[in-house]
Amino acid sequence: MKTIFMKEAEVPREWYIIDAEGKPLGRVAAKVASMVRGKHKTIYAPHQENGDYIVVINADKIAVTGNKASDKIYYHHTGYAGGIRGITFEKLIQKKPWEPLRLAVKGMLPKGPLGRKLIKNVKIYAGADHPHGAQNPKKIEF
């Protein structure tokens, strides 16, 4: 078999929009990660960026089940000794409403330069307004 290499300019790119209101966090993140990776296309190659652009709206109204709103903790480290910090889902969604979804999608993408490039193709907005109307994004229902 031959390895398929698509040139960056030859890859057909589309814009899609997902309304996350009332949908489970993990389901939305899995769908976004799969589409930004390009797994729904016949030209998919795991080593290339040939996915689409995804716009997610209403990220502040995303749903989590059970007690995850109060029990789920997002950790980060400041870089200093004993500098581990944690914030619950409830507080994070109030402070940065787009961040839980961004972190979930980022965790589902490959680690390294390709993953850092792919996360830039995901645009997440807290409300229903977005500045990508000129791209005519197609609505995705699932």
Side-chain angles (χ1 to χ4, degrees):
M1 292 193 60
K2 293 175 72 175
T3 303
I4 300 168
F5 285 98
M6 293 289 294
K7 291 190 173 128
E8 189 86 19
E10 294 175 0
V11 176
R13 298 279 175 88
E14 296 286 333
W15 282 77
Y16 293 100
I17 188 165
I18 295 177
D19 188 1
E21 185 174 0
K23 294 190 174 75
L25 173 66
R27 302 255 175 150
V28 173
K31 184 71 171 174
V32 169
S34 176
M35 291 196 69
V36 81
R37 203 84 209 264
K39 288 190 166 189
H40 61 289
K41 295 182 176 183
T42 57
I43 59 167
Y44 169 72
H47 61 280
Q48 282 187 307
E49 177 197 9
N50 45 7
D52 295 318
Y53 295 96
I54 309 294
V55 178
V56 182
I57 57 173
N58 293 322
D60 56 342
K61 297 179 184 87
I62 202 153
V64 290
T65 58
N67 294 331
K68 287 187 200 121
S70 58
D71 292 350
K72 185 166 179 57
I73 300 175
Y74 294 92
Y75 292 102
H76 74 278
H77 201 283
T78 62
Y80 289 93
I84 193 156
R85 300 287 182 262
I87 186 168
T88 63
F89 177 84
E90 287 175 325
K91 290 181 182 175
L92 185 60
I93 204 110
Q94 289 172 357
K95 193 174 181 182
K96 297 179 184 175
W98 62 88
E99 194 66 10
L101 183 59
R102 191 190 73 80
L103 289 172
V105 172
K106 186 179 175 188
M108 294 179 187
L109 292 176
K111 311 307 179 256
L114 180 62
R116 290 190 294 271
K117 196 173 182 184
L118 289 173
I119 195 68
K120 292 176 185 174
N121 296 342
V122 180
K123 317 294 183 188
I124 303 172
Y125 299 99
D129 298 331
H130 63 88
H132 306 287
Q135 283 76 23
N136 296 323
K138 298 173 186 166
K139 191 160 180 73
I140 295 178
E141 290 294 332
F142 62 95

